[in-house]
Amino acid sequence: FNEYPTFVMQDTRRFISQETGNLYIAKVEPSDVGNYTCVVTNTVTKSRVEGPPTPLVLRSDGVMGEYEPKIEVQFPELVHVAKGSTVKLECFALGNPVPSITWKRVDGVPFPRKVDMRKASGVLEIPYFQQEDAGTYECVAENSRGMNTVKGKLSFYAPPQLIEKPQDVQKLIDEAMVWECKATGKPKPSYRWMKNGENLEPVEERIQVANGALTISRLTLSDTGMYQCVAGNKHGDVYSNAELRIIAVAPDFSHNQLKSQTLVKVGGDVLIECKPKMSPWGVISWRKGSEPLRESNR
């Protein structure tokens, strides 16, 4: 206002909209006469630019009579607000006498403590927006000549957030594998899987995708690769990567040797286990001495 550094002080009579950039004066007084300059500041670099001065002069052809509030600044009928963000609703009215601005929720629920009603006036600020803050809000402008209101709905949304991710695994041929992928979000996220950067289309019965889980039975070497779980709703996608490695191993008895001697009494039962490590699983046969063993009722 006039010369720098005199800035317009906002009060019940004067309001600066951060949405439109406009300056509103509800009821002009002689002290308002002068030159007004719009100053725009970059919040990151703090650099600023000024517009040309705009003079405000009083008309001499009469006096403005009293009239009811006329809401000049209002928030949209529907505002989508992200979880955890801060939302600011603007509402300001012209009028004579200067209107008072009050806020309320249409459902009658009182404002939580995080909403500072002392600061409200032309701007209602709701920090850390949560599901319970969603609803219809009303701004009421009132003076001795009447009242005017405006309403708008705040809708809660949350981009997807992964709460369970697949982990890298090593598996043997013919084993089965299950990867769980779970995410929160509103609307509820949908899931898809990718393999090596391309969408995974379960063309084989042994590959199943349901509710974010990927199940592969009877693994083969061709299943090796990098997999991605993608959880998404209309507010974004989140990705999680995991590697599946399939191991091919020739039969190996080094970790599970047969016992060199087993004592059994006559007429007793005996179990001799053969547990080689091999992938894929092969054919097992037994010999007694040099003679192949055949199955019998015993």
Side-chain angles (χ1 to χ4, degrees):
F1 177 54
N2 289 333
E3 296 300 320
Y4 179 83
T6 307
F7 285 94
V8 175
M9 298 300 294
Q10 292 192 89
D11 51 29
T12 56
R13 198 171 63 82
R14 293 171 292 188
F15 181 73
I16 299 165
S17 169
Q18 297 302 321
E19 293 292 331
T20 65
N22 295 344
L23 166 64
Y24 299 86
I25 304 177
K27 180 186 175 186
V28 175
E29 296 179 352
S31 60
D32 296 322
V33 171
N35 285 316
Y36 290 83
T37 304
C38 172
V39 182
V40 182
T41 306
N42 185 313
T43 55
V44 178
T45 65
K46 305 302 179 190
S47 58
R48 55 190 221 174
V49 64
E50 298 182 5
T54 302
L56 185 150
V57 295
L58 286 180
R59 287 168 54 176
S60 57
D61 56 353
V63 178
M64 189 74 177
E66 292 188 351
Y67 64 99
E68 67 178 16
K70 180 187 175 191
I71 294 179
E72 285 287 324
V73 181
Q74 64 186 64
F75 52 101
E77 288 184 13
L78 178 63
V79 181
H80 295 285
V81 189
K83 178 183 179 181
S85 64
T86 296
V87 61
K88 295 181 180 181
L89 304 180
E90 291 188 347
C91 180
F92 190 73
L94 308 184
N96 186 13
V98 175
S100 66
I101 303 290
T102 54
W103 296 86
K104 64 181 181 180
R105 281 184 60 148
V106 172
D107 57 11
V109 174
F111 289 109
R113 290 175 60 184
K114 66 182 178 180
V115 178
D116 189 349
M117 295 309 295
R118 293 169 302 175
K119 286 169 54 182
S121 192
V123 178
L124 176 69
E125 183 173 316
I126 306 172
Y128 320 118
F129 196 84
Q130 300 297 320
Q131 177 80 62
E132 59 269 21
D133 297 318
T136 301
Y137 288 74
E138 183 174 27
C139 165
V140 181
E142 193 170 8
N143 65 10
S144 58
R145 305 296 294 183
M147 183 178 76
N148 218 328
T149 66
V150 63
K151 296 177 186 175
K153 184 178 180 182
L154 298 188
S155 170
F156 172 86
Y157 77 85
Q161 204 167 12
L162 286 167
I163 55 174
E164 191 169 335
K165 304 176 184 179
Q167 303 295 322
D168 293 352
V169 291
Q170 286 192 159
K171 292 282 187 179
L172 300 175
I173 293 172
D174 289 334
E175 280 190 318
M177 186 218 61
V178 179
W179 262 331
E180 292 281 354
C181 182
K182 290 182 182 174
T184 59
K186 188 175 185 216
K188 187 178 178 181
S190 59
Y191 302 92
R192 60 189 172 91
W193 283 84
M194 303 174 76
K195 179 186 176 186
N196 298 329
E198 296 186 357
N199 284 329
L200 181 64
E201 304 292 348
V203 291
E204 303 174 62
E205 274 189 29
R206 66 187 188 90
I207 301 176
Q208 300 287 328
V209 175
N211 298 323
L214 171 64
T215 304
I216 306 178
S217 59
R218 304 186 312 280
L219 289 164
T220 69
L221 279 174
S222 64
D223 295 319
T224 297
M226 287 297 299
Y227 289 77
Q228 277 184 317
C229 165
V230 187
N233 63 17
K234 64 182 180 180
H235 302 291
D237 293 321
V238 283
Y239 295 77
S240 181
N241 303 319
E243 184 180 13
L244 172 61
R245 295 178 65 191
I246 309 298
I247 306 168
V249 183
D252 177 14
F253 285 98
S254 60
H255 296 290
N256 290 296
Q257 297 280 6
L258 287 185
K259 288 182 182 178
S260 60
Q261 194 175 46
T262 305
L263 291 174
V264 191
K265 70 177 182 179
V266 174
D269 296 334
V270 64
L271 171 67
I272 308 172
E273 288 193 304
C274 176
K275 286 186 173 178
K277 182 178 180 183
M278 57 178 166
S279 174
W281 194 253
V283 177
I284 292 177
S285 58
W286 284 83
R287 288 198 186 103
K288 180 183 176 188
S290 60
E291 293 293 314
L293 269 184
R294 298 213 182 346
E295 288 193 20
S296 67
N297 59 1
R298 200 164 61 80

